[in-house]
Amino acid sequence: MDLPHQGYRATKPRARAAPPAGDPLLFEDTSSSQSPMNNQQYYTPGYNMGGPTSGPQGSVGVNNLFADPMANAAMMYGSSLANQGKDMVNKEIGRFMSMNKLKYFFAVDTRYVMRKIMLLMFPYTHQNWEVGYHRDTPLTPRHDVNAPDLYIPTMAFITYILLAGMALGIQKRFSPEVLGLCASTALVWVIIEVLVMLLSLYLLTVHTDLSTFDLIAYSGYKYVGMIFTVLSGLVFGSDGYFVALAWCSCALMFFIVRSLKMKILSSLSSDSMGAGASAKPRFRLYITVATAAFQPIIIYWLTSHLVR
């Protein structure tokens, strides 16, 4: 029985596209296309967020970076922090030492150095030991040979360490440990001497214009005699060493007594009032003599092991 073909329309099947030639693509290549966010105009970056670029585009990006207000604000904030840190460091250093005062002790020249070394080695003919002043300000060392300085003690300390290394090397006893021990021992003795001097002046209530730098300078002058002593021992043997030790010790003691006498004993007029005024001159003299008498002991202690 044939069914009627009412409402029926034959449809033509759709033709499928042929597959592309070659291997199929797993991922779509989007390297040449623009960013979808740029196409949608959500943002327009001022500089390249990716890796560094070369050419004119890279330079434009750098210029845009420095033109960015946020970048400029960050740079200004970092600069202000650096300046504040520098000011804090300078303030902390200024609490313990004054840079202007430290420059005063290094204001020397060649003429002063030569005259000072001659004064340390031959102080017996020197007449005037007072430090010169100009409008209540002490003259700099280059203008006054009596003014204490830190240049000669510093250079003499370095020279002593180098000479000690040479002496130990000649005797086949050199080692970095021994040289380091020699340098640290010499430095510790200076610190101990200065601290004892400051403590003595404080306990005896001696009012003087001696500063810590002055005491370091007078304590460091011994290294000049130590250099001469070690050189004499290396050249002339033990006999030359003891002769040089005696000469340098006497010269340094004379120099210390005459120099500190003008600093310590000259301030008696300001402390002449009080119950213990009669005892103060004797205590001041004891401090001066003890400081001078301590110098030969340190010289022998720091140089005797270098000469055999």
Side-chain angles (χ1 to χ4, degrees), residues 35-279:
S35 174
M37 299 185 68
N38 286 336
N39 294 333
Q40 297 178 8
Q41 296 182 357
Y42 286 156
Y43 74 92
T44 302
Y47 56 93
N48 187 10
M49 297 294 293
T53 59
S54 59
Q57 295 181 356
S59 61
V60 172
V62 174
N63 293 332
N64 291 335
L65 174 61
F66 286 101
D68 189 359
M70 294 298 295
N72 291 334
M75 293 177 62
M76 293 177 61
Y77 182 70
S79 178
S80 63
L81 286 180
N83 292 331
Q84 291 178 4
K86 181 180 179 181
D87 295 339
M88 291 179 61
V89 171
N90 293 333
K91 183 178 179 180
E92 292 298 326
I93 294 177
R95 291 176 56 187
F96 298 97
M97 65 177 64
S98 175
M99 297 305 297
N100 292 330
K101 195 169 185 179
L102 190 60
K103 291 179 181 178
Y104 164 83
F105 288 93
F106 285 92
V108 301
D109 54 9
T110 305
R111 182 173 177 270
Y112 167 81
V113 173
M114 297 302 298
R115 292 178 60 193
K116 194 73 171 188
I117 293 177
M118 294 299 297
L119 179 61
L120 290 171
M121 300 303 299
F122 306 97
Y124 308 106
T125 59
H126 192 64
Q127 300 297 328
N128 185 16
W129 292 86
E130 295 183 1
V131 178
Y133 283 82
H134 176 68
R135 297 180 180 178
D136 297 334
T137 302
L139 296 176
T140 57
R142 68 165 60 98
H143 297 108
D144 186 10
V145 71
N146 295 324
D149 71 286
L150 291 175
Y151 176 81
I152 293 178
T154 302
M155 293 295 104
F157 177 79
I158 297 175
T159 305
Y160 162 74
I161 299 302
L162 297 177
L163 185 61
M166 185 184 71
L168 294 174
I170 292 175
Q171 302 172 16
K172 307 298 183 181
R173 296 188 294 120
F174 175 81
S175 66
E177 293 78 9
V178 175
L179 188 62
L181 180 62
C182 182
S184 60
T185 303
L187 186 61
V188 167
W189 272 115
V190 173
I191 296 175
I192 292 175
E193 183 180 355
V194 172
L195 291 179
V196 170
M197 188 70 178
L198 289 174
L199 183 61
S200 302
L201 294 175
Y202 175 76
L203 293 178
L204 297 177
T205 63
V206 177
H207 301 285
T208 177
D209 58 349
L210 277 174
S211 64
T212 305
F213 292 134
D214 294 329
L215 296 178
I216 294 175
Y218 288 121
S219 178
Y221 285 138
K222 69 171 64 68
Y223 293 112
V224 177
M226 291 165 59
I227 294 172
F228 181 73
T229 302
V230 174
L231 285 177
S232 300
L234 294 177
V235 175
F236 302 104
S238 60
D239 294 336
Y241 168 79
F242 285 107
V243 171
L245 177 63
W247 177 269
C248 294
S249 299
C250 295
L252 184 61
M253 291 174 62
F254 186 85
F255 173 84
I256 292 296
V257 169
R258 295 302 302 269
S259 298
L260 293 183
K261 178 181 178 181
M262 306 306 300
K263 293 286 187 178
I264 297 178
L265 299 181
S266 62
S267 58
L268 285 174
S269 59
S270 60
D271 298 334
S272 58
M273 305 298 294
S278 59

